């Protein structure tokens, strides 16, 4: 199985009167994310499902990916929000679904969660070594035997500037 970890696009700045989870993509964030989504389409990428954090800026990013044709399936999951936990996501969300090994999932979320998830999948622990830029993407291949923890393989790490 391939997981594509995708960070949300550029969002509004923090403001005292605005809850963090309500911050939306800026015009620049939308435009940049749309260009990146189109580039991913030209590269032939397609997700069987896009799973997103329910937080506004992540959900908006996922909607842009859907509109570009990268998938026809979208689902929100609290596992991808700020408090999301990889172990819980694997156990409670992924494992019960029994997806085929060739499944490609796009996961839209936040930093540092996505980088931490990648590090755990790759090295079995968080090392604070990876950083996923806004609208950037990382591809992780999970082993077919289901033992992903520390045994996965990174096949894609792309800062957004290389997709524009």
């Amino acid at each position: 199985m391939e997981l594509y970890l995708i960070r949300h696009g550029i969002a509004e700045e923090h403001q005292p009167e605005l809850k963090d989870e309500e911050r939306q993509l800026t015009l620049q964030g939308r435009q940049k994310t749309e260009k990146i989504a189109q580039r991913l389409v030209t590269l032939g990428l397609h997700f069987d499902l896009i799973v997103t954090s329910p937080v506004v800026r992540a959900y908006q990013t996922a909607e842009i990916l859907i509109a570009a044709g990268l998938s026809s399936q979208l689902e929100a999951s609290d596992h991808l929000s700020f408090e999301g936990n990889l172990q819980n996501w694997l156990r409670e969300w992924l494992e019960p679904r029994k997806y085929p090994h060739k499944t490609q999932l796009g996961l839209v979320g936040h930093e540092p969660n996505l980088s931490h998830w990648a590090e755990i999948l790759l090295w079995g622990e968080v090392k604070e070594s990876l950083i996923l830029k806004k609208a950037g993407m990382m591809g992780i291949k999970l082993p077919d035997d289901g033992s992903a923890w520390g045994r996965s393989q990174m096949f894609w790490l792309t800062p957004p500037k290389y997709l524009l």
Side-chain angles (χ1 to χ4, degrees):
M1 175 176 295
E2 293 178 351
L3 302 180
Y4 291 82
L5 308 178
I6 305 162
R7 186 174 178 189
H8 64 78
I10 300 166
E12 297 172 302
E13 294 293 324
H14 292 274
Q15 300 171 27
E17 68 280 358
L18 185 63
K19 292 181 181 176
D20 189 35
E21 57 272 7
E22 295 173 353
R23 291 172 42 224
Q24 298 187 34
L25 294 181
T26 63
L27 178 59
Q28 178 189 13
R30 283 184 174 282
Q31 291 172 339
K32 189 174 185 181
T33 303
E34 287 168 357
K35 287 179 184 177
I36 289 168
Q38 288 303 319
R39 178 70 175 132
L40 295 175
V41 168
T42 63
L43 291 172
L45 196 59
H46 186 269
F47 306 117
D48 297 295
L49 172 66
I50 294 176
V51 185
T52 183
S53 160
V55 173
V56 172
R57 58 190 176 273
Y59 201 90
Q60 289 174 326
T61 299
E63 288 177 322
I64 290 169
L65 301 176
I66 292 288
L70 287 164
S71 182
S72 61
Q73 305 293 314
L74 176 61
E75 183 177 322
S77 172
D78 288 334
H79 292 288
L80 287 163
S81 66
F82 305 127
E83 294 81 28
N85 174 292
L86 176 63
Q87 186 173 8
N88 291 343
W89 182 78
L90 288 169
R91 185 180 62 245
E92 298 169 9
W93 192 93
L94 185 62
E95 289 172 7
R97 293 174 184 239
K98 301 191 184 314
Y99 284 114
H101 294 302
K102 301 251 185 231
T103 301
Q104 294 181 314
L105 298 177
L107 307 180
V108 182
H110 311 273
E111 278 296 285
N113 295 28
L114 292 175
S115 292
H116 289 173
W117 283 29
E119 291 175 337
I120 291 167
L121 291 169
L122 296 170
W123 304 306
E125 64 182 338
V126 174
K127 296 184 177 222
E128 302 286 344
S129 299
L130 295 175
I131 298 171
L132 192 55
K133 298 283 188 182
K134 290 178 182 156
M137 185 172 74
M138 190 179 319
I140 307 282
K141 181 169 177 37
L142 304 182
D144 290 341
D145 65 6
S147 59
W149 215 263
R151 298 192 55 242
S152 298
Q153 176 186 20
M154 184 187 320
F155 63 88
W156 191 329
L157 177 57
T158 309
K161 69 180 180 180
Y162 293 119
L163 294 171
L164 293 173

